[in-house]
Amino acid sequence: MELLSGVRTSESARVLLLWVLGLLFRPMVLAEQEGENLSGLSTNPDKGIFAVRENGTTCLMVEFAVRLTVPFDVLALNGIDLITEQAYLPLPRGAEIEGKCASTESEIHISWKNNAYTLHIYFSKEFRDKGVEVWKVSKVQFFYDTAETTHFINAYNPGKHTASTHRLSALVTPAGQSYVCAAQQTLTLISTDHQKGVTLSMYDIQIQPFDITSDFIFSEPYKCITDQRERLEEALPLVLGFILGLIIVITLTVYHFHLKLTAQQPQLPRDRSMYKNM
């Protein structure tokens, strides 16, 4: 009996342990997230398509062409002075992707060249005036290593640096929509390398970090102000031409009716002597 009781106790303990472990690991399974590189679907060789998925469903997706301009120091020919050069880093289509998704905050990490370069973009949701919910880019960080000689040639005192934005509120978009902008958008990041300014340029953009209802499909687009203005400028000549044509048609119509009315009026003789012969 004691042996049987011990077996039952051991079995109960094992079941309890499995139950506890199940509770501990269940949130981890539910929150399993992975990054995917879909750049091969783009016909633009400069544009990347990157997604973060949670439990097999897309929760964040970005599609854009990116170029970073990074200043760095090189030693002058006299061996004393320092000269500032510029490194131009396009975002490659073969980058590695990681990310995190949540209800009000999400982020994507894009790295390349064996993690010599990593771009972090952070998104957040917030309520604004009249209870309107929007999402925005709240922070951007770029981690780079000037010891990587593909872009940083003869860098003086090479090493790792971090460039970050400060108090950023960019690409503000109504919740449930994707941000779309063909025009170039530029952000300035301040580097730990003597406070140098790193420029992040993006164009041909479509981004949605929250509320994606269909897998790998962006929601309704929200066009940036620049694109809206350019579209208005393109449509303005057509509108003006239509208005001018309408004015011409109205003028000709009025003139035509004026001629008809004038032709129907009887011509009265001006000489009084003509009345006697009538």
Side-chain angles (χ1 to χ4, degrees), residues 6-275:
V7 170
R8 288 178 178 174
T9 302
S10 176
E11 183 68 21
S12 299
R14 190 172 72 87
V15 171
L16 179 61
L17 179 61
L18 290 174
W19 181 75
V20 171
L21 290 175
L23 289 178
L24 290 174
F25 285 101
R26 186 179 178 186
M28 294 177 63
V29 173
L30 290 176
E32 182 181 356
Q33 296 171 345
E34 58 180 352
E36 289 200 23
N37 188 330
L38 307 171
S39 301
L41 300 176
S42 174
T43 56
N44 183 346
D46 298 325
K47 187 166 68 172
I49 305 175
F50 311 114
V52 178
R53 308 187 78 210
E54 183 177 69
N55 293 333
T57 303
T58 307
C59 57
L60 185 158
M61 194 155 70
V62 300
E63 181 176 346
F64 52 19
V66 175
R67 189 177 80 160
L68 293 126
T69 304
V70 184
F72 67 101
D73 292 331
V74 297
L75 199 61
L77 293 177
N78 60 15
I80 300 174
D81 298 325
L82 293 177
I83 301 173
T84 300
E85 299 283 356
Q86 303 284 344
Y88 301 99
L89 285 70
L91 183 62
R93 290 160 60 97
E96 297 180 0
I97 310 302
E98 292 182 352
K100 298 177 182 178
C101 292
S103 58
T104 58
E105 292 184 352
S106 61
E107 58 191 75
I108 187 168
H109 306 166
I110 307 171
S111 58
W112 64 100
K113 279 286 182 182
N114 296 320
N115 293 321
Y117 309 111
T118 304
L119 179 65
H120 289 192
I121 305 176
Y122 300 86
F123 306 91
S124 63
K125 262 186 178 182
E126 63 181 33
F127 285 94
R128 296 205 166 181
D129 297 339
K130 299 180 181 179
V132 176
E133 189 177 23
V134 300
W135 65 261
K136 65 179 182 178
V137 176
S138 56
K139 186 178 181 181
V140 176
Q141 286 186 307
F142 180 56
F143 304 87
Y144 62 99
D145 189 352
T146 55
E148 201 283 308
T149 57
T150 304
H151 299 286
F152 297 97
I153 301 172
N154 299 323
Y156 177 77
N157 193 21
K160 296 182 178 181
H161 301 283
T162 302
S164 305
T165 56
H166 296 275
R167 298 180 181 179
L168 182 64
S169 181
L171 315 189
V172 178
T173 304
Q177 293 183 261
S178 61
Y179 177 88
V180 175
C181 195
Q184 179 172 295
Q185 305 294 301
T186 303
L187 299 175
T188 300
L189 292 69
I190 304 303
S191 175
T192 54
D193 183 12
H194 299 90
Q195 301 297 301
K196 290 182 173 66
V198 174
T199 302
L200 171 68
S201 301
M202 304 180 290
Y203 66 92
D204 207 0
I205 309 164
Q206 187 161 15
I207 297 176
Q208 187 171 356
F210 304 101
D211 306 318
I212 297 178
T213 55
S214 300
D215 209 18
F216 297 123
I217 298 177
F218 288 106
S219 298
E220 178 186 355
Y222 174 79
K223 290 194 174 182
C224 64
I225 299 299
T226 308
D227 281 8
Q228 293 179 20
R229 188 182 300 117
E230 289 180 354
R231 187 174 181 181
L232 179 61
E233 290 174 354
E234 291 174 358
L236 191 59
L238 297 176
V239 174
L240 292 176
F242 174 77
I243 293 174
L244 181 60
L246 188 61
I247 291 173
I248 293 173
V249 170
I250 293 173
T251 303
L252 291 175
T253 302
V254 171
Y255 179 70
H256 175 71
F257 277 104
H258 173 72
L259 289 179
K260 290 186 68 175
L261 291 174
T262 304
Q264 291 174 358
Q265 292 179 355
Q267 297 293 327
L268 298 177
R270 296 181 180 180
D271 191 351
R272 291 179 177 270
S273 61
M274 295 179 65
Y275 284 101

